Each structure stands twice: as structure tokens, then as C-alpha cells.
Amino acid sequence: MTNRSHSFRMPDKPSLDGIEAKWVDVWDESGVYHFDRTAQREDVYSIDTPPPTVSGSLHIGHVFSYTHTDTVARFQRMNGKAVFYPMGWDDNGLPTERRVQNYYGVRCDPSIAYDPEFEPPAKPDPKRQIPISRRNFIELCDRLTAEDEKVFESIWRRLGLSVDWRHTYATIDDNSRAAAQRAFLRNLARGEAYMAEAPTLWDVTFRTAVAQAELEDRERPSAYHKVAFHKPDGTPVHIETTRPELLAACVALVAHPDDERYRDLFGTTVTTPVFGVEVPVRAHRLADPEKGSGIAMICTFGDTTDVTWWRELQLDTRPIIGWDGRIIADPPAGLESGAAREAYDRLVGATVHTARERVVEMLRESGDLVGDPTPITHPVKFYEKGDKPLEIVTTRQWYIRNGGRDEELRRQLVERGRQLTWHPEHMRSRYENWVEGLNGDWLISRQRFFGVPFPVWYPLDADGNPRYDEPLLPTEQQLPVDPSSEAPAGYTEDQRGQADGFMGDPDVMDTWATSSLSPQIASGWERDEDLFRRVFPMDFRPQGQDIIRTWLFSTVVRANFENGTLPWHTTGISGWILDPDRKKMSKSKGNVVTPLALLEKYSSDAVRYWAASGRLGTDTAMDEGQMKVGRRLAIKILNASKFVMSVAGEGAVADPAQVTEPLDRAMLATLAEVVEEATAAFTAYDHTRALERTERFFWDFCDDYLELVKARAYDTESAEGASARAALLVALGALHKLFAPFVPFVAEEVWSWWQEGSLHSQPWPDAAEYRAAAADGDPVVLTATAEVLRAVRKAKSEAKLSMRAEVERVRVTGKRVEAARAAAADIAAAGRAAGIDFQPSDDAELTVEVTLPEPTEEPGARS
């Protein structure tokens, strides 16, 4: 609070038009949101901001969650913290590749030589994509993401995010690539990263491996086929399967060890129909006696259960599905000749769907299909961005240990989750359920192009075969490196792919393998140690609930390995944005809304108001009605601020010492409670509660208090008038600060009419100061007085009288009459009451009786 006199610079007609552009430029030039590099760690509040994927456009869900984070940043800055609030761009990975393919009409073919003169077609055709070299493709990815980042930044600025735009990073820039490669090399050296050839979940469309965290189940129609295998004596053993196309990949039958029906078969063999391959019958606890016929075929590989059976029972491998999702040309063992080879040749090159039809046809021909298939609907695993069911193929991939196969590491990571403060708290269970349900390590390699390459080469033997167990690694000082275009130490480029030469690892890292290092990247890990020690571990990680299992968990994994700590102290989890039908908005559903038109239509502050009305962890509907409410609030802040300044007049002083009247002190006492509640709410990461309490006080202030003291405030000769003017300005300054995190543009605008410097660098209101200014003020005086005034207004309204009409008498009864009596003069002035009677009683509720003047008879009313 300040007690200097003020000159006011209000416009004639306050408006929301143009204030975003005005203040964005001012904030940028003044550096009001710049991080103070001299601040000590205890005085810093650092935020691990989610780097949005720049592969298209922002949607309203981004605006929703990023507004929540910005309210926190603004509160902490006004609360005296040096706020480290960077912005990142997640620009590598599959979404960017798909966007580049469609935007430029190209596709990557690593076998093509680099063309330094290449330019994409003037009229791209996404359906007839031109093959280009990997380097040309990556250059186009860099070009398009740079443009997308500019668009994203302009929208974030328009929204009023108080980001320090000097601190930005992209997950594909040199610093990020170096950090990701450095962390990988250290993981590898400590045994936390490893390469393995193993069954891998595989998306046949994108031809890349998929991690467990990227899976989703989708209900799909299917059918059970009852198929006869044959014992040595020719009698049938019936299995029921939804994947008859994998008969050629069958390596065993399995039943539960306690299933009496099949106990005699354990340890024997049966023959597959059509192909005539002898396979063992084994027992395993995962076999379900209640499912189908109780005995199942194990194929390599139909699903993850097949992988478990194959691994634990140490079975043979007979893969038949290739990386493109079609049946491979070379038959598995046992099908190389004769009738088995003829049957297999009928499947070669077929898609899974076609192969299924052909195998069913062959089963009918052989008489081994029993009855007609039984239609069912069941969950099928998909890559979250894919359109076809996943297959399982054997590939060589890189992994990082994550507790999926290590009980001690799993325990450590569960404990890390318990050390983290969650808002809301119940989201912690999602983390724990995920960690405890892991069944494998984190697969981090992807068979893509635009990503962080693995910093690994392999020497080739005399036959040109890679020696995977003797990887060639760069030093950390050489990072970042690209093994596809750089040679390892001791080799020259002309030895690439040659016998006794080398090859670069062809894969790139999963995008989460880089994003999981966002706290380290943003904090300058191993690059800016001064910054790192001031901001890491970070204070706050805001994010969506859908990526707890990916981004949040993987970040905990990397910090646990590299730093031996949590990457941040607190996390805030956003709810979903729902469409008008209460369905989650998503690009895949086509029901997302982009924000720019809404920002232009209602104003940025109005859209922020809607966003801030949604609590962390709570699903919120996209509601333009709430945006209209927010716009009305912003306009009211403009008009009410101008009115208060007009009433206060030039030279007015926001001096708490001049506040002497009971009603004014009651208002300040109420304000102290509001500040206290809003501060507590923000401290508990409940921005919505802080907004609700502030807004309710503001409307009461405008509707009741302003009307009650207006007449007194115009009295420039009395101490009572000075008290009203001082109280009005004290409250106005507090309201501007309380609204600053939510509606920063309009709050800054009205602050500039009477104060110097930016509102957003001002200290947060201190409840103790307002309580001291209120002295012995009682909030009940304000509520009781306002209640009487509302009753007087209501009586006039019902009598269809002007609010300026005189009132003969007001009679007030109830327990709180003494509180109302303290402001009797203000009630009389505001209600235009000739007299007021206060009658104490035991009634908790105030009763207000209003005596209106007799209506004046019109001439000629009587004969």
C-alpha cells in the first residue's frame, strides 16, 4: 500500500480492444518477466513447463492447462520469488514427420543421396509423396518446425503467458541432442541402458517399435475359430483362436497345469493342421481353463501373453510377420518343403487380414475348422497414434531399465512418487499403479528419422556384419553427434558400410527419451552450471493426466539415475477438456477447438477466466458462456476502476491512516479475509478458489460498498469523505493485484492509470497490512449494511420507483442491527432514506421494512 497522492490517467472510454498487443510489447521491452540470474536457490521458483508438440496447431486444451501454470508463475513472482519460467518445443518424433510428409508431399528414403539443391514441390500431393534423402527430409522437418514454433509463441504471447522468452529450447536443438546423448552414454556406462534382440511391439504402418506407455486398447470385432490339432494317433485336440493366420508360427499348445482335461497331454506333441508341424504341449499357470476350450496355441508372436509363454517355457521361434505387416517370404523351420511349403507360399506377401482369410479357407479344405467362426468383440492393442493393430516382431532395440524387471528399482521409483507432492493428491495412485504394473523395461529406440540419434557406431567384421557387442562411442566433448553422417574416431567416411569398416546406429531415440530430460535441458545441465544450481531440482511440473505414465514417470526415472533425486518437488495434474457432449477433446476425434478465434472474440483475459475456473485434476467443459462472463468481468474492472478514480479525484491518497469510518474499516477487514483466503488457495495450488473469492468480493464491492460510500466520497471537506476515498483506493490497489494472475492485461491496464511500473512486478497483497488498516473494523458491518441497502433497492424496484426516489422510513430489526447502525448515515445517503429505525431483537436474520412515499395523485383522478 502507498500513501502518496495520485494523478489519474484514465481514457475517456475504457475498452478491451487492443490491450493485448499493447501490453505484450511493453512487457517484452521492459523485461518484467525476466529471470533474475543473481537470485539464490531459496528465492527461486522454477517451472518445468510442458514443451508442446509443434506439429500442427495449439488447441483449447493447451490454453486451459497453460493458463493454470501461468497463474502459479504470476502469484509466485508477486510473492517475492525469482520465477524461472522457460518454454520448450517438442519438435521431433512421429507427429512432426507425418506433418512434413503431408505438408511438403515427401517421404524419407535413407538410400537416396543428399541433394543440396532440393526444394519441395510447389504443389505437394500427400498421396504421391516424393522420396528424398534422410538429410533432405530432416532439413524440411527443421524448416517447418521453426515456422510452427513462431506461430505457437505468438499465441502464447497473446494469451499473456509470463514466460521468459530468453529461455527457450527445442527437443531437437543442439543443446537438447547433446543432453539426451550424454544422459544415454551415462546410462549405458552404468548399466541402466542396454541393447537386446527381443520380441517387440511393432506398428506396421510407421514401421517402428512402440513402448508399453504408448499403447491403448481399442475394441474391435473378431471371431473365435475352433481348430483341430492332431495327436499322434490322429485324434483331435481342439483349440479356439482369433488369429488362425498365425498357425504357421505356432510353437506349442498350452493349458493350465491343474486342468484335468489336458494333464495326460503335457510332455507329448501334437501336429498343426494344414502345415503338419509337430509342436509340444506344455503347462503354464497363465492358461485360462474357462477361456475357449481351455487349451491355447502359442505363436511367435500373437500377443504379449505369447511372449511370456515363449520366454518362460523356452520355446522355439517361428516368426512369419515382417516389419511391413505382411507374411515374410522365407518360411519358418519345418515348413521349408513339401505340402507345408506349398501351403505357406499361399500366404507369402499377404496382409494379416488376407492371410487370415486364406488360412480359414485351407482349414475348411482340410476339414480342421469345426463349425463356423463365433463373432466376438474384444480389446486389441494399438499404438496410440496408429490405425492398425500392433504386431509383435523380433528386433534389436535399446532399452532403459525402469523397474519393469527389477523389484528394487521398482521400489525406488514408487518411493520417489511418494516423495512428490501431488495436486490433486489422488493422481498419485495413477503413478503407483503404472509403476507396479510394468512388465518390461522402457524401449527407447525408434525406427524413424527426425529425432535424436543414438551416439553409437558398430565395427563391421571381414564379412561386413556389425559387431554389436563392441560399440564405438564418442566422448561427451564431441556431443552432439550424428552417426549417419559422421564417422567414429579412427575411421574415415569411405569405410562406412564396408568390410572391416563401420556402420552408424540407424535408429533415433523415442521423443520421451529427450522430453524426460526437460528439467535438465531447461536448467542448463552440464552447460550452464550456475543456472543449474539455482533452479534444479525444479519446484513445479504441470502436465496432463494422460502422460503421467510417460512424461512424468520417465522424467522421474532419468533424474533418479542421473541426479539421485526427484526432478521437481511438486506436480499439478490438469483435467480433460470436454466438448459440449461431455466427451474428451482430442485431435483423433476431430472435436478440438483452436483458441485464436476465441481470443479475438472474447479477449485473452476472458478465455483465461474460463480456464482458471477449472481446478487441477477436474474435467472442464469448453464453455463460451463462461468466456462471456469473463469478458463482462474484465469490462467491469475497467469501468469500476475508472469510477473509483473519478470519485476519489485528483490528488487522492491511498493512505490507510485516513480510513476512520466503521463501514470503510469493515470493508478493509473483509478485504483482509479475502487476501488471506486467496493466498492460502494459491499456496495450495487451488487457483480456482483464489479467483472465486476475489471475484465475489469484487462484485460485492461494486454493487454494495461503492453505492454506500459514493455520496460521502464526494465530500472533499470532511474527514469522513477522506476516509471513503482512501478506503476506495486501498481496495482498488488490492483488487488489481488479486486479479493480476487471472486477467493480466486488464489488470495491468487499470494499474497504469494511476501507478508507476508494472503491476506484475508488485508484491502480492499482505492480509496483515489490510487487517492493520481496518483497525477494529468488523466485516459484519459491511454485510449487514449491504443487506439493508439491497432490501431498500428491492422495495423501490417492486414499487417500480427510481433508485433515486426518496424513502420515508426504514425499520431494521434483528441481532445485527448495531452493525448496520454503525453505517446509518451511509445507508440513508445511498437509499435516500429520510429516517432509519434500528430495533434490536433475537432474530438471526435482519428484517428490513421500507416505508415508501404515498403515490402522488394525478389531477382529475377524483370527480
Side-chain angles (χ1 to χ4, degrees):
M1 286 185 283
T2 177
N3 59 8
R4 66 179 177 82
S5 63
H6 295 280
S7 61
F8 302 118
R9 304 174 291 277
M10 304 93 72
D12 292 335
K13 294 182 178 180
S15 172
L16 298 178
D17 295 340
I19 66 172
E20 288 96 347
K22 169 185 174 181
W23 289 112
V24 163
D25 289 344
V26 170
W27 293 335
D28 201 38
E29 291 167 7
S30 67
V32 67
Y33 304 133
H34 286 180
F35 173 62
D36 180 4
R37 286 288 301 256
T38 67
Q40 297 303 305
R41 181 64 186 93
E42 61 270 20
D43 299 320
V44 168
Y45 187 88
S46 51
I47 301 172
D48 182 19
T49 321
T53 302
V54 285
S55 58
S57 59
L58 289 169
H59 61 77
I60 198 66
H62 290 106
V63 167
F64 178 72
S65 57
Y66 281 74
T67 296
H68 296 171
T69 305
D70 191 60
T71 64
V72 173
R74 289 180 178 279
F75 167 73
Q76 292 291 344
R77 190 178 292 109
M78 296 178 74
N79 210 32
K81 294 290 187 179
V83 174
F84 181 66
Y85 187 14
M87 179 59 70
W89 310 115
D90 193 4
D91 46 12
N92 69 51
L94 182 59
T96 297
E97 289 188 23
R98 294 182 72 180
R99 175 159 161 74
V100 167
Q101 288 170 352
N102 293 327
Y103 188 87
Y104 291 116
V106 298
R107 62 179 174 84
C108 182
D109 184 344
S111 66
I112 295 177
Y114 173 66
D115 178 2
E117 304 298 324
F118 175 78
E119 281 296 325
K123 294 183 178 180
D125 184 353
K127 296 182 179 180
R128 296 183 179 179
Q129 295 171 349
I130 298 172
I132 60 175
S133 74
R134 177 173 182 160
R135 184 174 169 186
N136 285 125
F137 185 76
I138 290 173
E139 287 177 352
L140 291 182
C141 290
D142 285 329
R143 182 192 302 184
L144 190 57
T145 53
E147 293 304 312
D148 285 342
E149 286 163 13
K150 292 176 184 176
V151 174
F152 276 39
E153 181 176 333
S154 69
I155 293 176
W156 284 150
R157 288 177 179 271
R158 173 71 183 262
L159 184 65
L161 296 192
S162 57
V163 164
D164 184 345
W165 291 104
R166 302 172 305 164
H167 292 280
T168 60
Y169 66 90
T171 55
I172 201 64
D173 66 23
D174 285 351
N175 290 332
S176 295
R177 285 188 290 122
Q181 290 181 339
R182 182 189 312 118
F184 169 78
L185 290 175
R186 293 185 183 183
N187 290 142
L188 188 61
R190 293 191 295 256
E192 298 149 2
Y194 63 93
M195 174 182 276
E197 186 168 0
T200 307
L201 289 162
W202 187 264
D203 187 283
V204 299
T205 302
F206 302 116
R207 300 192 188 186
T208 186
V210 176
Q212 184 180 350
E214 297 170 305
L215 306 181
E216 64 181 36
D217 286 335
R218 300 179 193 170
E219 289 292 324
R220 286 293 183 269
S222 186
Y224 271 122
H225 301 75
K226 190 172 184 179
V227 176
F229 282 62
H230 301 282
K231 300 179 187 178
D233 62 5
T235 58
V237 177
H238 294 113
I239 64 103
E240 294 186 32
T241 179
T242 60
R243 302 209 62 180
E245 70 275 11
L246 293 179
L247 265 175
C250 180
V251 293
L253 297 190
V254 63
H256 194 278
D258 298 331
D259 195 329
E260 296 284 352
R261 294 171 294 177
Y262 304 110
R263 206 171 258 178
D264 292 344
L265 281 177
F266 297 148
T268 68
T269 62
V270 294
T271 303
T272 62
V274 176
F275 301 101
V277 176
E278 197 172 291
V279 297
V281 182
R282 305 292 292 274
H284 196 282
R285 66 190 181 282
L286 288 182
D288 185 355
E290 303 300 321
K291 188 174 181 179
S293 59
I295 189 167
M297 69 172 181
I298 303 173
C299 301
T300 51
F301 296 94
D303 57 23
T304 54
T305 305
D306 276 350
V307 175
T308 302
W309 283 331
W310 167 81
R311 182 180 291 120
E312 295 186 5
L313 297 174
Q314 299 183 346
L315 299 170
D316 294 335
T317 304
R318 291 196 179 96
I320 66 169
I321 297 179
W323 288 16
D324 59 356
R326 294 176 180 269
I327 306 301
I328 60 177
D330 295 330
L335 282 73
E336 300 95 333
S337 61
R341 178 59 184 261
E342 291 179 11
Y344 185 81
D345 284 346
R346 292 172 64 177
L347 306 179
V348 171
T351 64
V352 167
H353 177 78
T354 300
R356 181 179 305 138
E357 292 178 336
R358 292 178 183 175
V359 169
V360 169
E361 181 182 345
M362 288 188 278
L363 285 169
R364 284 200 173 101
E365 292 171 357
S366 67
D368 292 315
L369 182 66
V370 181
D372 292 326
T374 305
I376 63 165
T377 300
H378 67 161
V380 178
K381 294 199 179 301
F382 280 74
Y383 174 38
E384 60 188 1
K385 295 180 174 65
D387 300 320
K388 293 183 179 180
L390 292 173
E391 296 296 344
I392 298 177
V393 300
T394 300
T395 60
R396 188 178 295 276
Q397 304 286 350
W398 284 106
Y399 296 84
I400 288 180
R401 302 186 191 282
N402 66 357
R405 297 178 181 173
D406 182 334
E407 285 296 329
E408 175 55 26
L409 179 56
R410 188 196 307 260
R411 185 197 63 76
Q412 288 179 26
L413 296 173
V414 169
E415 181 57 30
R416 289 291 184 207
R418 291 172 181 170
Q419 294 166 1
L420 182 62
T421 300
W422 295 74
H423 294 286
E425 169 65 26
H426 71 262
M427 290 292 178
R428 182 198 309 273
S429 63
R430 300 195 184 191
Y431 172 90
E432 292 190 1
N433 291 341
W434 171 252
V435 179
E436 292 171 347
L438 286 168
N439 54 30
D441 286 331
W442 176 16
L443 189 157
I444 63 165
S445 47
R446 294 293 181 272
Q447 290 63 53
R448 302 304 304 171
F449 312 110
F450 190 54
V452 177
F454 284 92
V456 181
W457 299 267
Y458 307 101
L460 303 181
D461 63 19
D463 296 321
N465 298 313
R467 300 202 297 270
Y468 289 113
D469 57 347
E470 301 175 27
L472 305 170
L473 306 175
T475 65
E476 289 191 6
Q477 289 68 38
Q478 292 174 287
L479 303 178
V481 298
D482 183 359
S484 70
S485 60
E486 300 173 51
Y491 292 83
T492 58
E493 186 59 33
D494 59 4
Q495 291 178 278
R496 183 182 296 274
Q498 303 299 313
D500 294 318
F502 73 93
M503 65 169 279
D505 193 303
D507 294 343
V508 297
M509 296 183 194
D510 164 28
T511 186
W512 296 115
T514 306
S515 297
S516 61
L517 296 166
S518 58
Q520 290 88 344
I521 292 168
S523 300
W525 172 57
E526 299 288 350
R527 172 173 50 84
D528 187 339
E529 283 303 300
D530 179 71
L531 176 65
F532 189 73
R533 67 182 176 82
R534 295 179 195 275
V535 303
F536 188 92
M538 302 181 89
D539 292 280
F540 186 45
R541 153 63 75 83
Q543 66 161 71
Q545 57 188 296
D546 53 327
I547 50 175
I548 290 174
R549 63 182 187 174
T550 49
W551 191 35
L552 189 147
F553 174 60
S554 62
T555 311
V556 170
V557 169
R558 303 306 285 280
N560 183 64
F561 282 146
E562 187 59 42
N563 310 104
T565 184
L566 278 171
W568 359 257
H569 307 301
T570 301
T571 185
I573 309 298
S574 296
W576 303 123
I577 289 299
L578 308 177
D579 67 13
D581 295 326
R582 306 297 296 180
K583 295 178 181 177
K584 177 196 169 189
M585 280 193 180
S586 69
K587 289 183 179 179
S588 62
K589 293 180 180 177
N591 62 347
V592 298
V593 174
T594 54
L596 188 56
L598 295 170
L599 297 174
E600 292 172 344
K601 181 177 181 180
Y602 297 110
S603 81
S604 297
D605 283 338
V607 175
R608 288 176 62 103
Y609 171 85
W610 158 76
S613 300
R615 284 182 167 82
L616 288 176
T618 301
D619 296 346
T620 302
M622 211 297 289
D623 185 357
E624 290 191 49
Q626 273 289 88
M627 296 176 194
K628 292 176 183 177
V629 173
R631 183 174 177 83
R632 286 197 296 271
L633 172 65
I635 292 171
K636 186 66 174 181
I637 292 172
L638 290 174
N639 293 334
S641 297
K642 181 178 181 181
F643 182 72
V644 168
M645 293 176 197
S646 300
V647 170
E650 289 293 323
V653 178
D655 182 3
Q658 292 188 4
V659 180
T660 57
E661 296 305 293
L663 182 60
D664 304 332
R665 289 184 170 182
M667 184 273 292
L668 293 183
T670 304
L671 176 60
E673 291 179 351
V674 171
V675 170
E676 193 168 64
E677 290 181 40
T679 305
F682 259 127
T683 303
Y685 291 84
D686 188 353
H687 55 266
T688 305
R689 172 63 180 164
L691 174 59
E692 289 170 348
R693 193 65 186 91
T694 299
E695 186 183 8
R696 186 164 69 246
F697 174 80
F698 172 72
W699 286 111
D700 289 344
F701 174 83
C702 293
D703 294 344
D704 300 325
Y705 180 74
L706 270 177
E707 291 301 316
L708 282 163
V709 303
K710 182 167 55 177
R712 177 158 52 90
Y714 280 125
D715 181 358
T716 59
E717 303 299 324
S718 67
E720 292 84 359
S723 174
R725 292 190 294 276
L728 283 168
L729 292 178
V730 168
L732 189 66
L735 282 165
H736 290 171
K737 292 178 179 181
L738 288 168
F739 276 127
F742 306 106
V743 287
F745 292 104
V746 72
E748 184 79 296
E749 173 70 12
V750 293
W751 180 263
S752 73
W753 295 349
W754 67 310
Q755 302 282 4
E756 301 300 325
S758 173
L759 168 64
H760 301 297
S761 60
Q762 298 298 311
W764 183 252
D766 183 353
E769 289 189 24
Y770 299 105
R771 192 164 283 115
D776 56 352
D778 184 354
V780 176
V781 171
L782 179 61
T783 57
T785 305
E787 194 173 330
V788 175
L789 178 61
R790 285 194 291 270
V792 172
R793 288 176 180 163
K794 182 180 178 182
K796 291 181 180 180
S797 178
E798 290 176 347
K800 295 183 171 54
L801 294 175
S802 164
M803 291 299 117
R804 295 177 177 274
E806 298 288 339
V807 173
E808 286 190 1
R809 199 139 204 90
V810 177
R811 187 172 184 271
V812 185
T813 59
K815 283 186 175 181
R816 290 178 292 145
V817 294
E818 293 306 322
R821 192 197 301 270
D826 290 323
I827 296 172
R832 294 180 175 265
I836 308 178
D837 295 328
F838 295 97
Q839 298 292 329
S841 75
D842 293 332
D843 293 335
E845 300 296 323
L846 280 180
T847 300
V848 181
E849 298 174 11
V850 181
T851 304
L852 298 172
E854 291 291 331
T856 303
E857 290 186 3
E858 297 181 11
R862 294 183 180 179
S863 57

